[in-house]
Amino acid sequence: MAFVKLLTEADAPPEVEPIFGAVAEQYGFVPNILRALGLCPDLLAAFVPFWAQVYSSPTIGPRLRALAALGTAKAQDCTYCVAHMTASARRAGVAEQEICAIGNPVDEKAVFDPREALILELADTLTRDADGTTDQMRARLREHFTDSEIVNIVVAIGTYNFTSRVLKSLSIEVEDVFTAKPEADSAPSQPAGRAS
């Protein structure tokens, strides 16, 4: 059970109602993280467009972003994030074998190309130690990515870490739409507040 009250549509203050309505219309449900953030309408109003931009920025594309997200979620051991980001990874074309490999560095190097494996390594490194990016890792990033791609990847990983910490601190549970429908085809679209 969540540590804070999750807003329902009936409880939502007037400034939150249109945000909930837009998210529900686009994605079919309002994620629990947004129901918690709705307790602070000003934060919700800033968070949703920022998250949506991080999630949809074209610089790295959906597959690399999905790997950064799921790698971060698994490194955080965030159940909510893993549920959301696994669904997102499937939609981005990440195969089940690849999804299962994420979180195991040996398997990651065997399954993913060097760029993808490096994103997963970076996600794990930054999640476990915000100061863990070595000069050697930075040199490898430069070999594989442009400056704008590096910024996008790091911002994505940082945002997923932020979201995961909020979710875990507030004990926010995974929505029923994830727990009731385990098949890949029935997973909901990833909403603007898709955490983690």
Side-chain angles (χ1 to χ4, degrees), residues 142-164:
R142 282 222 177 276
E143 290 174 17
H144 293 284
F145 299 102
T146 66
D147 284 354
S148 59
E149 288 172 327
I150 292 168
V151 169
N152 196 278
I153 291 164
V154 170
V155 168
I157 291 168
T159 303
Y160 298 129
N161 268 295
F162 161 77
T163 306
S164 178

Side-chain angles (χ1 to χ4, degrees), residues 9 12 15-30 34 44:
E9 284 72 5
E15 62 270 39
V16 169
E17 288 176 5
I19 298 171
F20 278 12
V23 170
E25 183 177 325
Q26 186 169 357
Y27 301 106
F29 72 107
V30 177
L34 298 186
L44 178 71

Side-chain angles (χ1 to χ4, degrees), residues 44-178:
L44 178 71
F47 178 80
V48 169
F50 174 75
W51 224 138
Q53 188 59 47
V54 169
Y55 190 77
S56 63
S57 176
T59 307
I60 58 172
R63 180 176 168 88
L64 296 183
R65 186 172 34 256
L67 294 178
L70 188 52
T72 303
K74 286 195 174 186
Q76 276 278 3
D77 194 25
C78 176
T79 303
Y80 185 102
C81 303
V82 169
H84 278 257
M85 295 302 109
T86 297
S88 180
R90 286 181 180 128
R91 282 190 307 281
V94 180
E96 291 304 314
Q97 176 191 12
E98 294 171 321
I99 288 170
C100 292
I102 295 173
N104 181 320
V106 173
D107 291 346
E108 289 172 356
K109 287 183 177 155
V111 172
F112 294 101
D113 71 35
R115 280 170 49 99
E116 294 171 340
L118 184 54
I119 285 176
L120 292 165
E121 181 183 348
L122 183 63
D124 187 73
T125 297
L126 291 177
T127 299
R128 297 183 191 286
D129 179 3
D131 211 19
T133 310
T134 63
D135 288 341
Q136 189 267 349
M137 181 179 274
R138 287 186 183 99
R140 289 178 17 218
L141 286 166
R142 282 222 177 276
E143 290 174 17
H144 293 284
F145 299 102
T146 66
D147 284 354
S148 59
E149 288 172 327
I150 292 168
V151 169
N152 196 278
I153 291 164
V154 170
V155 168
I157 291 168
T159 303
Y160 298 129
N161 268 295
F162 161 77
T163 306
S164 178
R165 284 173 168 82
V166 170
L167 290 160
K168 290 175 82 171
S169 296
L170 298 178
S171 298
I172 297 175
E173 299 164 329
V174 179
E175 299 83 3
D176 290 342
V177 294
F178 287 97

